[in-house]
Amino acid sequence: MRVLHTSDWHLGRAFHRVSMLGAQADFIGHLVTTVREYAVDAVVVAGDVYDRAVPPLAAVELFDDALHRLAALGVPTVMISGNHDSARRLGVGAGLIDRAGIHLRTEPSAAGTPVVLADAHGDVAFYGLPYLEPALVKDEFAVDRAGHETVLGAAMDRVRADLAGRPPGTRSVVLAHAFVTGGQASDSERDITVGGVAAVPAGVFDGVDYVALGHLHGCQTITERVRYSGSPLAYSFSEADHRKSMWLVDLDAEGAVTAERLDCPVPRPLARIRGALDDLLADPALARHEHAWVEATLTDPVRPAEPMARLTERFPHTLSLVFDPERAPDDPEVSYARRLAGRSDQQIAQDFVAHVRGAGPDEQEAAVLGEAFDAVRADDAVREVAR
């Protein structure tokens, strides 16, 4: 069976104020063409179909168009909700849409109920594990501790139990939306940390033939059977070096996997340039970036006059301007943002405690801080689901 694995469409998202709807529509067209030209048997979309729980109307219309075009191909499609989606909204009408061959899996309770497709070698069971927010699903999976590994492990127990009851030789594909150990993150993914831990081990998915992951925006191979497709478009300058693609996965009669990357259309290349303003404007080596979306980091010791206006004369698609004067690390003028770069919310809070009282929090106090941050993040998730 030939499966096309994609994820993280983020329909409705902008890139530094630039609407991406046109590029997203081009991707949908490319997806449909790829399905037809490569004789794909099934499409899987591993979450974050939309960019937010209540997407703009234009994004909903684009999704509707995608559903109609995929259904018209007669090729089954399995989709799950991600942490950016409202599972309830995305799942509206799932029973009716199911009849058209578009299978929306947004309910955690259905983790062990697959979409079963068949080829010349027998059945392939597709299990959809939507994003499992630990605070919201721990009761569903009857786990004592609300953590990503715990709830995913419980969901996979249901998958393996169902698979064990199926005819011998039944192959299996799992769709999941999670941060798996070994994956490389970028700046455009929403934090899903619980208790200071975001990642789950790849071993939690043992026992199935292929795992189609979503959440991380870079295409990457965790193991030969566990892969991220990444987002089809770049959504932050941290993705400037990404090759945006989808996985074309072939499952043979025994469940062995072969995978090929298929490139996605690039609306405009990304470039990150750094240096003094006058140098950036004069450097001939930067000519190749004059038609790219540009993030410029200026290192001038004193902020130059009208930097954006001057930059856009040479780089008309400059979208982001960062000031990072070259100073010694101990210089008191080093910016607050620069000092905080790369530090988690809890680390920043612990630094504040140390600054106020001269010593950082002890183990018990650090645990209380962690619980507070988890409670706020979980409350945000509950509020978003209820919207």
Side-chain angles (χ1 to χ4, degrees), residues 4-10 27 31 44-49 176-178 183-186 188-189 210-222 226-235 239 242-247 261-264:
L4 187 63
H5 168 197
T6 179
S7 72
D8 295 273
W9 293 359
H10 288 278
F27 163 69
L31 173 71
V44 297
V45 186
D48 282 353
V49 174
H177 197 86
Q184 298 296 314
S186 59
S188 53
E189 297 129 7
Y210 183 72
V211 180
L213 293 174
H215 179 57
L216 299 184
H217 289 182
C219 181
Q220 47 203 296
T221 300
I222 305 301
V226 181
R227 299 170 186 263
Y228 284 99
S229 66
S231 60
L233 297 165
Y235 292 116
E239 301 167 56
H242 285 190
R243 172 189 165 196
K244 295 301 183 181
S245 56
M246 301 177 285
W247 285 113
R261 286 180 72 178
L262 303 180
D263 291 333
C264 295

Side-chain angles (χ1 to χ4, degrees), residues 334-352:
V334 171
S335 73
Y336 180 67
R338 185 173 174 183
R339 294 198 301 273
L340 297 184
R343 301 186 67 73
S344 68
D345 290 343
Q346 180 156 353
Q347 288 172 325
I348 293 168
Q350 292 181 186
D351 289 347
F352 177 75

